[in-house]
Amino acid sequence: MPDVLEGPVDLNRWPIDDLDGDAGRRMIESCRADLASLGCCNLRGFLTDAGTAALMAEADALLEHAYWKNGRRNAYFTEDDPSLPADDPRRMSFPIVMGQVAGDLIPPASRLRRLYEHPAKVEFTRRTLGLAALYPRADRFQDLNLIVLPDGGVQLWHYDQNHFSVTLLLQAATQCGDFEFVPALRSKHGEDLEAVRRLFRGKHPGVVRPEREAGTLTLFRGENAMHRVSPVCGDKARVTAILSYDEAPGLWAPDEVNAMIYGPRVREPRAVGSPI
Ligand SMILES: [Fe+2]
């Protein structure tokens, strides 16, 4: 089986297979600087055109297994709290219309999974984020996911549970469907609720919309950067791979958490591990 980096990834532009070489070191430095100054590192053309087409073909064959969410939620995925003021951003709800394919449905031999697990890909991510260690997530549902947003699809404003997020855009929508975020909207010291309220009213001046097209890899700090995908329009669905890594091995999520994300089918016996 040929190495998965040969073909899909544009190694001339993004030499993740030679991180100790001059070009590899410059790439890491540049990504780290972008993360610090812009809140995200955006690798446009990470995949070649042929690589994008090949990985999208794999994804396309899996989308029929997506678990669909279609409703309204607040940005914190919590129940409404009537004790809070009516205009509190935690009480504002937004539409969510999206399909999600769990990791256990993405085959071990697929290029998508082999790229996600490839040591060079993991090491590139580790060095860019400046972490002591990094592992593909052990949870077989959460490790590698696909998100599909068809015409009318929307991923509402939210924070991620992960300290950081890695996404690979496989197919851009015909129109709209922009990835938007506000860097460092909250910190370990708390959250500026007035700034969140401005954001929800469309009046926050700090919204970042990185230029992305199919084949772009993006790293950002989704734990503190509120983010969303604006409503998709047009006849081409937006398809993204979500690559989750952890700083410790053997982490998995409780069944009830995964059941909310992937549907009731995930409630089954588990391997031994530690809760995330
Ligand atoms: Fe997210």
Side-chain angles (χ1 to χ4, degrees):
M1 191 180 285
D3 191 289
V4 71
L5 294 184
E6 293 170 12
V9 179
D10 187 343
L11 294 172
N12 291 321
R13 190 170 177 185
W14 305 108
I16 64 170
D17 59 335
D18 185 19
L19 296 176
D20 291 319
D22 288 345
R25 284 207 295 269
R26 282 197 302 273
M27 174 181 65
I28 295 283
E29 282 171 21
S30 170
C31 288
R32 294 186 66 145
D34 284 351
L35 260 181
S37 62
L38 307 173
C40 85
C41 163
N42 207 34
L43 283 65
R44 299 175 73 182
F46 179 76
L47 299 180
T48 63
D49 288 347
T52 303
L55 268 59
M56 181 55 211
E58 285 186 346
D60 202 29
L62 297 167
L63 295 181
E64 63 176 301
H65 303 300
Y67 179 66
W68 285 90
K69 291 156 215 170
N70 190 340
R72 293 185 71 87
R73 290 184 185 170
N74 73 1
Y76 304 86
F77 300 109
T78 54
E79 296 298 318
D80 185 41
D81 182 353
S83 70
L84 297 172
D87 68 342
D88 189 294
R90 289 166 289 190
R91 299 199 65 189
M92 298 173 72
S93 68
F94 303 91
I96 177 170
V97 182
M98 58 177 270
Q100 190 157 358
V101 177
D104 65 314
L105 302 172
I106 303 176
S110 65
R111 288 195 193 190
L112 275 167
R113 178 164 291 285
R114 286 163 54 218
L115 175 60
Y116 161 66
E117 295 176 350
H118 197 288
K121 173 71 186 66
V122 179
E123 181 64 6
F124 162 72
T125 308
R126 185 192 73 78
R127 291 195 194 189
T128 300
L129 294 161
L131 301 172
L134 197 66
Y135 305 88
R137 177 162 291 182
D139 188 294
R140 67 192 181 98
F141 301 110
Q142 292 196 8
D143 55 358
L144 172 64
N145 283 191
L146 295 169
I147 302 281
V148 55
L149 301 175
D151 188 19
V154 58
Q155 204 175 3
L156 77 172
W157 289 111
H158 67 284
Y159 297 110
D160 289 341
Q161 299 283 333
N162 304 350
H163 297 319
F164 58 89
S165 307
V166 183
T167 68
L168 181 58
L169 186 61
L170 297 176
Q171 179 169 279
T174 314
Q175 304 172 58
C176 330
D178 293 320
F179 171 59
E180 304 178 328
F181 72 101
V182 179
L185 193 59
R186 71 177 179 183
S187 71
K188 61 183 177 184
H189 304 297
E191 187 178 29
D192 181 348
L193 287 177
E194 183 50 42
V196 177
R197 194 178 287 114
R198 279 203 303 277
L199 175 65
F200 291 173
R201 289 175 176 159
K203 294 180 177 167
H204 194 293
V207 177
V208 179
R209 293 178 190 86
E211 289 283 325
R212 301 174 84 215
E213 52 285 305
T216 298
L217 182 81
T218 302
L219 283 72
F220 70 105
R221 299 199 183 279
E223 182 185 39
N224 294 325
M226 192 170 271
H227 56 281
R228 74 164 186 173
V229 177
S230 63
V232 165
C233 37
D235 57 5
K236 199 163 74 172
R238 183 184 193 276
V239 180
T240 312
I242 310 294
L243 293 67
S244 292
Y245 301 97
D246 289 310
E247 296 169 60
L251 301 184
W252 48 266
D255 283 348
E256 58 270 26
V257 172
N258 279 337
M260 281 198 312
I261 301 171
Y262 306 109
R265 76 171 182 86
V266 307
R267 291 184 182 279
E268 55 188 66
R270 296 223 155 227
V272 174
S274 308
I276 292 171

